[in-house]
Amino acid sequence: MTFWQSQKNLLAGVALATVVGALAISAPVQAATLRMAWAQDATGLDPHKQTAFSSLRLLELIYEPLVRLDANLNIVPAIADSWEFSADGTSLTFKLNPKAKFHNGEAVTSADVKASFERILDEATGAATRANFLSISSIETPDAGTVVFKLSQPDAPILTAMTDLNAAIVPASEIAAGTIGTKAIGSGPFKLDQWEPNSKEVLSTNKDWAGGAVALDGINISVLPDETAILAALRTGQVDFALLNDPLVATLVPREANLQLNRQPGLAYNVLQLNPSRSPMTELGVRQAISCAIDRQEVLDTALLGEGQVTGPLTIPAYATDPKELFCYTPDLEKAKKLMADAGHADGFEATVIAATGEPPVAASEAQVIQSQLAEIGIKLNIETMELNVYVDRWLKGDFDMAVAQNGGRADPYTMYNRYWTKDGNLQKVSNYIDDTLDSLMKQGRTETDPAKRKEIFAQFEKHLAEVSPWIWLSTSYNYTAQQKTVHGFVPTPTGTLFGLTKVTLD
Amino acid sequence: MNYVAQRLVTFPLILLGVSVLVFVAIRLIPGDAITAMLGTEAGLLTEQQRAALATYFGIDQPWPTQYWHWLTGLLHGDLGISVTYGKPVLDVILERFPVTLELALLSMVIALLVGIPAGIYAATHSEKPSDLLVRIVAMLGQSTPNFVVGLLIIYFLSVGFGVLPTMGSVAPLWQDPIANLSQMILPAITLGFAFAASVTRISRSAMLDVLKDDYVRTARAKGVPHRRTIWRHAFPNALIPVVTLCGVEFGYLLGGAVIVEQIFALPGLGRMVLDAISQRDYALVQGAVLFVALNFLIVNLLVDLAYVAIDPRIRLGGQ
């Protein structure tokens, strides 16, 4: 090598080092925008109307209710700083955070709270969540920062119901203009800059958010309808953070060195709904026999790959009891056969179970495991799978012998179950079962404000419900998020909210 | 040209039939826009709430009234408003169509570039090992479902090489051609694979038929060089079935390639219609199906015209 050649090489080396160095220095300056992916997109922007998980996951980043739930399901401030029930439980007063502002710069006032709840209560809005707020008789606004809800009767669960995004506070001016649902103006940590349905969302951080500073500059969400493709995008570092539904895909995440899976038992429950208005499920013995014949752990292990926990009716950690204590949670085939024989069905019977395709992803496999388990006591189960909407239509009409379902949970047992297990429940047509014990326990649970006594009431409710077996509760599932290990500080919660992204930092 | 005029006159009638079919079919499926939005929570609605939402979604009127409104709107160039997108249906369709059109064109180019040479090669080497190989690959291409091909491509690229083009939304071709093509090429290959296999098989058998004809033997006897015999004399006559196949396949692709769009997260027409059906966005489904049907009719007309261009002996309209 000549002197000049080595000089040239040296120069080239220096130049290369400079470029590499510059690249290394410039890397951290890049904007901290989180690249996120999910398979199902929001279906609309009206926080009072949208109830699908996929819509709530987006809207929770944009809108805020008066109060919200933390990771342990405790009620913590959101728009309201503090709140208080009156001694007789018929009035609930909120003090609003004076710093709370909407994305349009206007302060959040008591007038906005009043207008928002009036919109929810107005039947013309078509807000399903209205059913939780029927005890509100009037809303008073003594000053801009105070709201008083007058209740027609003591209603302990109403505060938890107010943590729901469907009770979000929207600007009174937008309600008047009729633009709720077309423009997304909330008071939450992120602003929606762009939305192309079923394709992408662009969110930027709300610098004026009263909840504190957010480390991210924004979030870019891509809708990747195939979860295998989401996993591939995570693998190649194209996506930082993703929401997953399918346990089959989620269990593959920990195999990748650069990825981390967050899983959290959710409040939703997988259940085999019997229809007690259809013979022979009208008979207690038959329903109990089905409960005894089903091995819940096996359903969980086989259909859900063990991803979840066996559960009784109550999935809320503060209220849940040990499922082993509940009726026939230890499978007992002999007892099941005897119950069938006593009910006059020693030879079994034939029935049809409905399941929705892909919702949840494990529905069809659950139905198959249950089919084989019930065959042991002579029940010939036919499985009918159908598109989600068709399923929902039949489910709402109560048009099924049995249904494999994943029903949403709530942070309060009353709000979660009054629709099914009270005499005037909106979904009596679906549950087709009620007795005086269930109804009176629910009513007690509604008015009782002492937490210890409420817990006792709902424990009795749960025990009785498992015993009369209108439904066979199976398991909870996990809520999954997957992320690069360069993402720090995300706290998952049982409600599945992505609100924890406000605390996230990127390397 | 008389033929074209005749065909154009039938278009509105066919489209009217299609629109009635779609209108009725989408409404016959159980569930409506209300259950699609609320799921099981729809059970919490009071009668009045349900009525208010039905008015909002435009499904409160009897079917004939709804159809009449839609049809009169259509005659004024208004396909209605999509409730999920909150925009006019035509705008939503025209935003999605470029992706679908580009995907269809790219996969057709791939299919023709690969399929025709492969088919002719196989025909001219008939019953030799190389012909057998081409036929086996073509058979594989035709019988492998495109979701398998698509997922394999994604899997090998992401696991084997740690690369994958951006997915989710597509950069417009005229703004960023490189980004656009890098996003479109994999789905185009996925679709083109099966398409090329069909083209190979059709062009092989068409070529074999033509090569047996007298004029080819005459050309050979006259001492026309092999290459010229194949490309100048035989090939144009073997093209007719290939054009037919391409027309059908291309028209079909313009309706959107649902599965491939789903796997590669391409915002094309196919996924849009699928989402619109599952969200019971009636106006969008009706508008999109009508648009796709119109495309199909136009492509078919163009195919007919192409016959005349390729083979002057053909006269359209049976004159």
Side-chain angles (χ1 to χ4, degrees):
Chain A
M1 189 186 287
T2 66
F3 172 76
W4 285 110
Q5 264 179 327
S6 68
Q7 282 285 306
K8 260 159 98 187
N9 284 346
L10 183 67
L11 277 177
V14 169
L16 186 67
T18 316
V19 172
V20 171
L23 282 176
I25 292 163
S26 66
V29 187
Q30 274 191 343
T33 297
L34 187 79
R35 295 162 306 164
M36 188 159 110
W38 55 36
Q40 272 177 316
D41 200 17
T43 53
L45 296 176
D46 187 332
H48 296 155
K49 283 186 189 163
Q50 297 294 328
T51 55
F53 287 136
S54 53
S55 299
L56 297 180
R57 295 299 85 96
L58 173 70
L59 298 176
E60 281 159 351
L61 301 172
I62 301 164
Y63 290 98
E64 289 183 301
L66 284 169
V67 278
R68 67 166 59 91
L69 297 167
D70 68 6
N72 300 313
L73 302 181
N74 298 312
I75 296 172
V76 295
I79 286 179
D81 265 343
S82 62
W83 52 93
E84 195 177 24
F85 272 106
S86 64
D88 65 352
T90 58
S91 120
L92 174 58
T93 306
F94 289 92
K95 292 278 181 199
L96 307 185
N97 182 340
K99 286 190 288 182
K101 266 189 201 163
F102 288 113
H103 298 159
N104 60 9
E106 290 170 21
V108 183
T109 66
S110 55
D112 297 309
V113 178
K114 186 170 196 265
S116 298
F117 274 90
E118 280 172 353
R119 179 170 190 263
I120 293 167
L121 289 169
D122 182 358
E123 288 191 278
T125 308
T129 191
R130 174 180 179 271
N132 295 327
F133 300 110
L134 293 178
S135 64
I136 296 174
S137 55
S138 66
I139 304 167
E140 293 170 9
T141 52
D143 61 59
T146 312
V147 190
V148 185
F149 290 90
K150 295 286 181 193
L151 308 177
S152 55
Q153 58 167 314
D155 188 352
I158 198 169
L159 188 60
T160 315
M162 284 178 174
T163 64
D164 201 304
L165 187 89
N166 289 147
I169 306 306
V170 297
S173 55
E174 298 289 319
I175 297 177
T179 51
I180 308 291
T182 50
K183 285 200 277 176
I185 298 182
S187 60
F190 297 94
K191 298 181 197 180
L192 183 65
D193 293 338
Q194 200 190 343
W195 180 38
E196 290 175 18
N198 299 316
S199 176
K200 69 169 180 183
E201 278 100 357
V202 179
L203 298 164
S204 64
T205 299
N206 171 15
K207 302 286 178 208
D208 298 326
W209 184 46
V214 176
L216 294 173
D217 290 340
I219 305 176
N220 289 345
I221 304 171
S222 303
V223 183
L224 308 183
D226 189 285
E227 292 203 352
T228 330
I230 294 186
L231 182 61
L234 279 163
R235 246 183 218 140
T236 53
Q238 230 189 70
V239 162
D240 301 313
F241 190 92
L243 204 62
L244 296 174
N245 287 315
D246 192 344
L248 269 170
V249 176
T251 48
L252 296 174
V253 173
R255 294 191 195 172
E256 305 291 326
N258 57 333
L259 300 182
Q260 178 188 323
L261 180 71
N262 308 311
R263 32 171 238 191
Q264 169 86 30
L267 294 174
Y269 53 92
N270 300 302
V271 62
L272 173 68
Q273 294 181 205
L274 309 180
N275 184 348
S277 73
R278 287 202 181 169
S279 178
M281 272 81 69
T282 40
E283 289 167 60
L284 176 65
V286 170
R287 297 197 306 266
Q288 288 186 328
I290 293 173
S291 180
C292 295
I294 284 180
D295 184 340
R296 294 166 172 83
Q297 189 64 45
E298 190 184 65
V299 177
L300 173 62
D301 289 343
T302 315
L304 282 81
L305 311 171
E307 291 284 296
Q309 285 159 5
V310 170
T311 185
L314 297 181
T315 53
I316 311 140
Y319 289 94
T321 58
D322 182 2
K324 287 199 191 71
E325 308 285 314
L326 298 173
F327 177 81
C328 249
Y329 264 59
T330 310
D332 189 342
L333 269 184
E334 290 316 305
K335 187 173 176 182
K337 283 177 185 161
K338 183 167 184 307
L339 282 164
M340 286 287 276
D342 291 349
H345 291 282
D347 298 331
F349 59 89
E350 191 170 342
T352 301
V353 63
I354 61 168
T357 31
E359 187 62 36
V362 294
S365 346
E366 277 184 319
Q368 284 162 12
V369 180
I370 290 167
Q371 182 185 45
S372 74
Q373 290 180 351
L374 292 187
E376 300 273 333
I377 57 167
I379 299 176
K380 185 177 181 305
L381 204 56
N382 304 310
I383 301 172
E384 205 181 324
T385 50
M386 55 199 81
E387 188 239 351
L388 180 62
N389 255 310
V390 179
Y391 171 91
V392 168
D393 194 63
R394 285 189 58 182
W395 189 91
L396 285 172
K397 289 178 183 148
D399 181 15
F400 54 84
D401 298 338
M402 300 183 196
V404 172
Q406 186 179 65
N407 294 338
R410 301 282 160 146
D412 189 274
Y414 179 82
T415 325
M416 183 161 165
Y417 282 127
N418 85 74
R419 56 184 68 180
Y420 305 115
W421 314 116
T422 55
K423 285 185 177 162
D424 48 9
N426 312 63
L427 294 180
Q428 258 297 307
K429 223 176 166 179
V430 178
S431 57
N432 279 306
Y433 181 87
I434 188 64
D435 61 33
D436 291 338
T437 316
L438 289 176
D439 190 63
S440 80
L441 285 170
M442 280 303 258
K443 292 214 163 86
Q444 286 173 44
R446 184 182 197 189
T447 49
E448 181 59 64
T449 48
D450 178 48
K453 284 188 192 151
R454 286 194 93 208
K455 193 174 171 178
E456 178 52 34
I457 292 166
F458 285 114
Q460 282 179 45
F461 165 83
E462 180 176 54
K463 186 165 177 286
H464 180 72
L465 190 54
E467 201 166 302
V468 291
S469 309
W471 294 357
I472 314 299
W473 275 263
L474 301 167
S475 64
T476 56
S477 298
Y478 291 116
N479 296 325
Y480 299 103
T481 49
Q483 57 168 78
Q484 303 288 340
K485 287 185 176 159
T486 50
V487 177
H488 301 284
F490 178 74
V491 182
T493 86
T495 58
T497 175
L498 298 179
F499 182 74
L501 290 175
T502 52
K503 298 273 177 269
V504 157
T505 55
L506 285 173
D507 277 353
Chain B
M1 277 310 106
N2 191 16
Y3 171 74
V4 176
Q6 273 176 19
R7 285 288 293 270
L8 286 177
V9 170
T10 61
F11 276 19
L13 291 174
I14 296 172
L15 292 177
L16 194 72
V18 168
S19 76
V20 173
L21 270 180
V22 179
F23 185 90
V24 174
I26 177 95
R27 280 166 179 77
L28 280 180
I29 323 173
D32 55 26
I34 300 174
T35 51
M37 177 174 79
L38 294 174
T40 56
E41 298 285 304
L44 302 186
L45 298 176
T46 61
E47 273 311 308
Q48 245 177 308
Q49 285 184 302
R50 198 163 239 292
L53 284 176
T55 312
Y56 171 77
F57 287 119
I59 48 173
D60 53 335
Q61 304 287 325
W63 287 9
T65 320
Q66 285 183 40
Y67 184 72
W68 181 246
H69 279 311
W70 181 77
L71 198 64
T72 46
L74 180 68
L75 295 176
H76 294 91
D78 174 13
L79 286 173
I81 304 280
S82 153
V83 283
T84 19
Y85 292 76
K87 290 200 269 202
V89 164
L90 193 61
D91 291 4
V92 180
I93 293 173
L94 292 180
E95 273 168 29
R96 297 293 188 112
F97 186 57
V99 173
T100 294
L101 181 65
E102 191 188 342
L103 186 62
L105 283 173
L106 272 180
S107 47
M108 191 162 79
V109 168
I110 291 174
L112 294 180
L113 285 182
V114 175
I116 290 182
I120 291 177
Y121 178 84
T124 50
H125 296 74
S126 174
E127 303 307 326
K128 289 188 185 143
S130 50
D131 172 38
L132 196 66
L133 183 72
V134 170
R135 282 158 67 190
I136 289 174
V137 173
M139 187 66 97
L140 261 178
Q142 259 194 324
S143 54
T144 315
N146 52 23
F147 64 88
V148 173
V149 180
L151 285 176
L152 283 178
I153 291 180
I154 289 186
Y155 182 80
F156 280 117
L157 281 182
S158 71
V159 173
F161 301 95
V163 290
L164 207 61
T166 324
M167 294 195 288
S169 50
V170 174
L173 182 64
W174 53 93
Q175 278 175 20
D176 191 346
I178 294 175
N180 173 281
L181 287 176
S182 76
Q183 286 177 296
M184 297 298 275
I185 195 70
L186 295 180
I189 290 175
T190 307
L191 282 177
F193 186 52
F195 196 171
S198 317
V199 172
T200 307
R201 285 165 57 88
I202 288 276
S203 45
R204 176 182 174 276
S205 62
M207 200 66 184
L208 277 178
D209 277 348
V210 172
L211 287 178
K212 286 186 202 126
D213 280 349
D214 291 345
Y215 68 92
V216 174
R217 201 172 22 172
T218 311
R220 281 188 175 146
K222 275 168 59 187
V224 177
H226 178 66
R227 225 167 230 284
R228 197 174 152 77
T229 319
I230 300 292
W231 291 102
R232 183 67 192 89
H233 294 272
F235 176 63
N237 288 309
L239 258 184
I240 296 278
V242 177
V243 170
T244 310
L245 172 79
C246 284
V248 172
E249 193 85 4
F250 186 70
Y252 183 69
L253 284 177
L254 284 187
V258 182
I259 293 171
V260 169
E261 287 174 15
Q262 189 89 354
I263 293 174
F264 289 96
L266 286 181
L269 275 187
R271 243 181 86 204
M272 185 198 76
V273 175
L274 181 70
D275 289 330
I277 293 172
S278 64
Q279 287 161 4
R280 301 290 189 273
D281 190 339
Y282 294 157
L284 188 54
V285 175
Q286 285 158 215
V289 172
L290 202 67
F291 183 78
V292 169
L294 180 65
N295 281 337
F296 208 91
L297 291 175
I298 293 173
V299 170
N300 265 309
L301 183 61
L302 292 179
V303 167
D304 284 352
L305 296 178
Y307 290 157
V308 183
I310 294 167
D311 188 343
R313 288 170 301 176
I314 296 180
R315 280 175 198 243
L316 297 174
Q319 292 148 11

